[in-house]
Amino acid sequence: MKIIVPMAGRGSRLRPHTLTVPKPLIPVAGKPIVHRLVSDIAKVLGEPIDEIAFVLGDPAFFGEDVVSSLTKLAEELGAKASIYRQDQPLGTGHAIMCAAASLSGPAVIAYADTLIRADFNLDKEADAVIWVKQVEQPEAYGVVKLNENKHIVELVEKPQKFVSDQAVIGIYYFKDVAVLKNELQYVLDNNIINGGEYQINDGIKRMMSNGKVFVTGQVDEWMDCGNKNVTVETNTRMLGFLQNDGEQLVSDQVEQENSTIISPCYIGEGVTLKNATIGPNVSIGNGCVIENTAIKNSLVQTKTVIKNANLDNAMIGNNAVYDGNFTTVSIGDYSILE
């Protein structure tokens, strides 16, 4: 089994946090988004992963530190890491084809800006599986249309009339991903463009028209990391799941003085808390210093200093210095507010 992970976009909706760090490497509940996503997919599949192919963007942004991080992730899952580059932002179909050399055999394709919680048996009799989640406002999503056999027969983007409430979440299984590769090659060769880009959906629609059987896979939870507010919400939800799973979320190397931690919270190594109330629903990365501060429902990355603050629904980057009585904030790496 292979996992293909297109992650070339820089994440403009999550700025300023993605000005120095690619969005898939922003930590949620103490672990980068892409690491958590790939690990959870591997757990769901329940079988050995031979290769994980990552499609990255500009080397000046997705540099050697990113490559090293992703290689280590693959190795931890017992897989080979393959690194590809998408030199132009030409869409999802184009991104997948940048990994053409890895597109053979059974594979999962997953976009690295979402997180899931799932527990199901993969239907390997079908030619492909599209993972979906029931949503309350299907007109805001791409959805699947099913026939009487529960096979997917159409993909509809943001339907104005009701088609179904099963939204496509951006994770796919192909019994032989080479079939998708061939159809996407046709899309590229014939310059089939939608929304100014080459889309995976056009390859999938060609597979459907050729009689390939697509079915749905359901996830229990689908969490977005598209912008600051939903990323903070996703951090909250993930902390709850991890606490219920019995994971240790607070490092033994946290220094506390006159401080209170209200679970669930993730607190990394080398964090100093002085006259602080942390939680609930807070993630604090390694090496942070928090003094005379209350924080709840927030996400703080690494090596940041926060003093004299009362924070709720905040997202603060790496190596920042924050001293003041603001409330709802979103500041990126190396920022200073005093």
Side-chain angles (χ1 to χ4, degrees):
M1 180 73 72
K2 298 177 181 179
I3 302 177
I4 315 296
V5 188
M7 48 183 289
R10 296 188 63 155
S12 59
R13 290 189 299 149
L14 200 51
R15 290 175 181 168
H17 303 281
T18 53
L19 291 175
T20 59
V21 178
K23 181 168 71 171
L25 294 182
I26 296 289
V28 169
K31 194 172 184 178
I33 294 168
V34 67
H35 288 230
R36 197 171 288 286
L37 172 66
V38 171
S39 298
D40 286 348
I41 289 173
K43 189 184 302 183
V44 168
L45 294 175
E47 63 179 78
I49 308 300
D50 303 313
E51 179 184 3
I52 305 177
F54 300 96
V55 182
L56 310 181
D58 184 353
F61 189 59
F62 294 86
E64 288 305 313
D65 55 336
V66 176
V67 172
S68 177
S69 170
L70 297 176
T71 299
K72 181 179 179 182
L73 168 63
E75 291 173 349
E76 289 173 350
L77 295 172
K80 165 192 172 185
S82 297
I83 305 296
Y84 298 94
R85 297 286 180 176
Q86 184 184 27
D87 56 2
Q88 299 180 70
L90 296 178
T92 56
H94 179 266
I96 292 164
M97 289 300 288
C98 290
S102 295
L103 299 181
S104 63
V108 168
I109 295 175
Y111 295 104
D113 60 355
T114 189
L115 292 172
I116 63 167
R117 301 284 285 183
D119 183 14
F120 62 86
N121 294 320
L122 189 63
D123 184 349
K124 295 184 179 179
E125 296 301 315
D127 295 299
V129 178
I130 298 178
W131 290 357
V132 298
K133 181 71 174 70
Q134 186 177 30
V135 295
E136 292 183 358
Q137 296 178 305
E139 65 276 8
Y141 301 89
V143 301
V144 298
K145 181 178 180 180
L146 306 177
N147 65 13
E148 62 276 5
N149 296 319
K150 302 298 183 182
H151 295 167
I152 303 171
V153 293
E154 191 176 351
L155 300 176
V156 183
E157 187 66 24
K158 297 182 179 179
Q160 296 306 301
K161 295 183 178 180
F162 183 82
V163 175
S164 81
D165 58 1
Q166 303 297 307
V168 177
I169 70 169
I171 305 177
Y172 312 81
Y173 164 79
F174 296 90
K175 186 162 62 176
D176 183 3
V177 75
V179 179
L180 175 67
K181 173 185 175 181
N182 292 338
E183 301 300 351
L184 286 176
Q185 188 63 58
Y186 180 92
V187 169
L188 295 179
D189 291 344
N190 290 273
N191 202 33
I192 299 173
I193 292 177
N194 279 296
E197 297 179 334
Y198 300 102
Q199 305 290 356
I200 185 176
N201 281 3
D202 290 311
I204 289 174
K205 289 175 181 177
R206 287 185 55 80
M207 289 180 65
M208 290 178 181
S209 67
N210 290 331
K212 300 300 182 182
V213 175
F214 281 72
V215 299
T216 59
Q218 292 284 341
V219 295
D220 300 320
E221 298 287 344
W222 173 30
M223 295 161 282
D224 189 16
C225 299
N227 58 44
K228 172 252 180 179
N229 285 335
V230 297
T231 301
V232 170
E233 179 185 348
T234 289
N235 179 69
T236 292
R237 293 170 65 188
M238 185 59 69
L239 286 171
F241 296 139
L242 297 176
Q243 182 181 50
N244 290 338
D245 291 344
E247 288 198 22
Q248 180 178 343
L249 297 175
V250 178
S251 170
D252 294 330
Q253 299 180 31
V254 175
E255 297 184 15
Q256 295 188 60
E257 179 182 334
N258 191 32
S259 295
T260 302
I261 299 173
I262 305 171
S263 63
C265 288
Y266 170 85
I267 303 181
E269 297 180 358
V271 171
T272 298
L273 304 177
K274 184 176 180 180
N275 300 321
T277 300
I278 308 299
N281 308 317
V282 174
S283 289
I284 298 176
N286 296 346
C288 289
V289 176
I290 315 293
E291 294 186 10
N292 304 317
T293 289
I295 307 177
K296 60 183 178 180
N297 307 312
S298 297
L299 197 160
V300 181
Q301 297 188 44
T302 63
K303 299 179 182 178
T304 281
V305 176
I306 302 175
K307 298 180 179 180
N308 307 311
N310 184 4
L311 299 177
D312 184 5
N313 190 37
M315 187 169 177
I316 298 177
N318 302 279
N319 300 287
V321 175
Y322 181 92
D323 188 338
N325 192 25
F326 306 94
T327 304
T328 299
V329 301
S330 178
I331 61 174
D333 297 355
Y334 300 98
S335 300
I336 298 176
L337 291 176
E338 295 180 327

